[in-house]
Amino acid sequence: MKNNTAEFDTAKAITAAIVFSFIGNAVFMGMPMLVGALSDNLGFTEQQVGWLASADLGGMCASSILTSLLVARVNRRYLVALGVVIAVLANYAASLFHDFESLVSLRVLAGFGSGICYATGVASLAGSHNTGRNFSILMFALVAINALELYSFPILSAHWGVNGIFLAFAGSFILALCFIGWLPARAAEQSLAAVGDKQGPVVPVYLPWLCLLAVACFYITIGSYWSFIERAGVDAGLSDSFIANVLTAGTVCTLLGCFAATALSTRLGQSKPLIAALLGMTLTLLMLATGINALSYIAGTMLFNFMWLFTDIYQLGTLSNIDHSGRYVALVPAAQGFAQTLGPSMAGGMLAANMGYGSVMIMGALGSFAAFILYLLVYSILKRSAPAIANAQ
């Protein structure tokens, strides 16, 4: 059972955790439009924008590791305040310096600040009781932010270039400070046996690490696909307006994924739908690898968005059910950031080598399939050692 979670279950605490989680992840959600603006406004090559995308995500990875070491020990309000200050200064500076070398350094710093906020936010949600519902709310908020970014970033870029996007990020972090007083200052007690707690079932100590490895594999898919899906549409001869409309409409399917995740976890638990979604993601990307046209772009985008946050909810929920202190959940941005750093840079290298966007989709399919195999293993272990967690809602 969870201990000392009453503070984490209040509406204010959940709201604050969600705000800092989605504001910390906002850069990644807007990555297709940011990549397009960097390419169109500043003239960077596909390989260079791949490195710039990787810089943000690499910074998130590094700060997540640091946050996981501190999140159960220090005041979480101080942590997010530090993250906000770093993110605001780095994004503002990025609007002033546009040479490639300076931007890489500044995007690493911006990602570092974002990662602190994201990791602390999801760690706070991990301390609540109804993790499936609360992470579904978070993903719903991410969808709303994603839709706002996909709609507004082309407008900002058209009027102010890529600076409009950088300054929008900075302003968003400043607004998030309004919620810092609602965030619980200290961690909830850990109560399940990822570290051998006598009050709960005995869960192997390596199991959370298998989950984190699966998250990393899955986010190789996300990083490679999401950073270049806008460019892939352009390469296939689709119009800019068609691409923007499809990506924006895809958020509707993401909303459906959030609702479906909540409904299915109530009936089937989290593990079985998670495994099925990863298999579906693999097949979707293999379909796109065979060629992109208007119909496949629409179908692939809708299916991808439906299963993306659907999967995220269950990945976060599974780790939270294993460990409620938030230490392992705080490492999720590190696993995501590592893979998101690797994915876009590998995809950019493939494109620079003229391997085409089909190769990027195949790489993404392999990432999802690896996560599928790992979660099958996790589920089988949990069924033997902790059936209640294996089938938890």
Side-chain angles (χ1 to χ4, degrees):
M1 300 295 294
K2 298 184 183 182
N3 298 322
N4 296 343
T5 59
E7 183 183 9
F8 291 82
D9 288 324
T10 65
K12 287 185 176 181
I14 292 170
T15 299
I18 288 172
V19 166
F20 286 108
S21 296
F22 74 63
I23 207 68
N25 205 32
V27 172
F28 179 67
M29 297 303 291
M31 191 62 73
M33 299 298 106
L34 177 58
V35 164
L38 288 168
S39 179
D40 295 338
N41 300 154
L42 301 183
F44 291 130
T45 66
E46 288 175 327
Q47 188 168 31
Q48 285 177 317
V49 296
W51 280 109
L52 286 167
S54 295
D56 263 295
L57 305 171
M60 290 181 69
C61 174
S63 63
S64 173
I65 294 171
L66 174 64
T67 303
S68 73
L69 298 174
L70 300 176
V71 74
R73 303 179 182 180
V74 304
N75 191 311
R76 295 180 175 188
R77 295 171 186 170
Y78 296 158
L79 273 178
V80 294
L82 175 64
V84 166
V85 169
I86 294 172
V88 169
L89 293 178
N91 278 293
Y92 177 72
S95 72
L96 303 177
F97 302 97
H98 289 170
D99 62 284
F100 179 72
E101 291 77 13
S102 296
L103 270 181
V104 168
S105 300
L106 291 171
R107 297 322 301 167
V108 169
L109 281 176
F112 192 88
S114 297
I116 292 175
C117 295
Y118 181 27
T120 306
V122 294
S124 185
L125 283 180
S128 63
H129 273 89
N130 197 334
T131 55
R133 181 203 64 190
N134 293 336
F135 282 120
S136 292
I137 296 172
L138 169 60
M139 297 307 160
F140 188 92
L142 286 172
V143 172
I145 291 298
N146 185 217
L148 179 63
E149 288 177 331
L150 291 172
Y151 175 77
S152 63
F153 279 7
I155 298 173
L156 293 174
S157 181
H159 284 82
W160 297 286
V162 73
N163 286 354
I165 296 176
F166 291 146
L167 294 176
F169 285 142
S172 299
F173 277 98
I174 293 171
L175 290 175
L177 284 175
C178 297
F179 298 89
I180 197 168
W182 292 2
L183 193 71
R186 300 290 174 182
E189 290 183 11
Q190 185 171 347
S191 63
L192 292 184
V195 292
D197 188 326
K198 295 180 180 179
Q199 297 180 8
V202 178
V203 175
V205 295
Y206 60 81
L207 205 62
W209 297 104
L210 282 182
C211 292
L212 288 167
L213 178 59
V215 170
C217 291
F218 178 65
Y219 265 80
I220 287 177
T221 299
I222 301 299
S224 58
Y225 171 92
W226 193 240
S227 295
F228 285 100
I229 188 58
E230 187 263 354
R231 295 288 95 182
V234 172
D235 181 73
L238 305 177
S239 69
D240 291 342
S241 60
F242 177 85
I243 293 168
N245 288 335
V246 171
L247 292 177
T248 302
T251 59
V252 175
C253 287
T254 315
L255 292 175
L256 294 175
C258 292
F259 292 124
T262 303
L264 288 174
S265 67
T266 301
R267 294 174 176 269
L268 302 174
Q270 297 188 34
S271 296
K272 293 175 183 176
L274 171 58
I275 291 167
L278 287 168
L279 182 59
M281 183 75 84
T282 301
L283 296 175
T284 296
L285 288 165
L286 289 176
M287 175 195 72
L288 290 172
T290 64
I292 293 177
N293 53 41
L295 182 60
S296 66
Y297 197 81
I298 292 172
T301 299
M302 301 307 163
L303 290 169
F304 187 93
N305 284 344
F306 178 83
M307 289 178 287
W308 176 2
L309 297 192
F310 184 101
T311 301
D312 272 348
I313 291 167
Y314 292 144
Q315 289 186 129
L316 289 164
T318 298
L319 270 173
S320 298
N321 287 330
I322 292 172
D323 167 63
H324 303 306
S325 73
R327 184 164 65 96
Y328 290 108
V329 173
L331 280 170
V332 166
Q336 293 172 338
F338 170 76
Q340 289 167 348
T341 302
L342 187 63
S345 60
M346 289 175 63
M350 288 177 173
L351 295 172
N354 296 316
M355 296 174 67
Y357 286 95
S359 65
V360 175
M361 299 304 164
I362 290 173
M363 182 176 71
L366 291 173
S368 288
F369 187 71
F372 167 76
I373 296 298
L374 285 167
Y375 277 116
L376 277 177
L377 178 60
V378 168
Y379 181 59
S380 67
I381 293 170
L382 283 175
K383 282 186 69 177
R384 293 194 304 270
S385 61
I389 301 176
N391 298 299
Q393 297 181 7

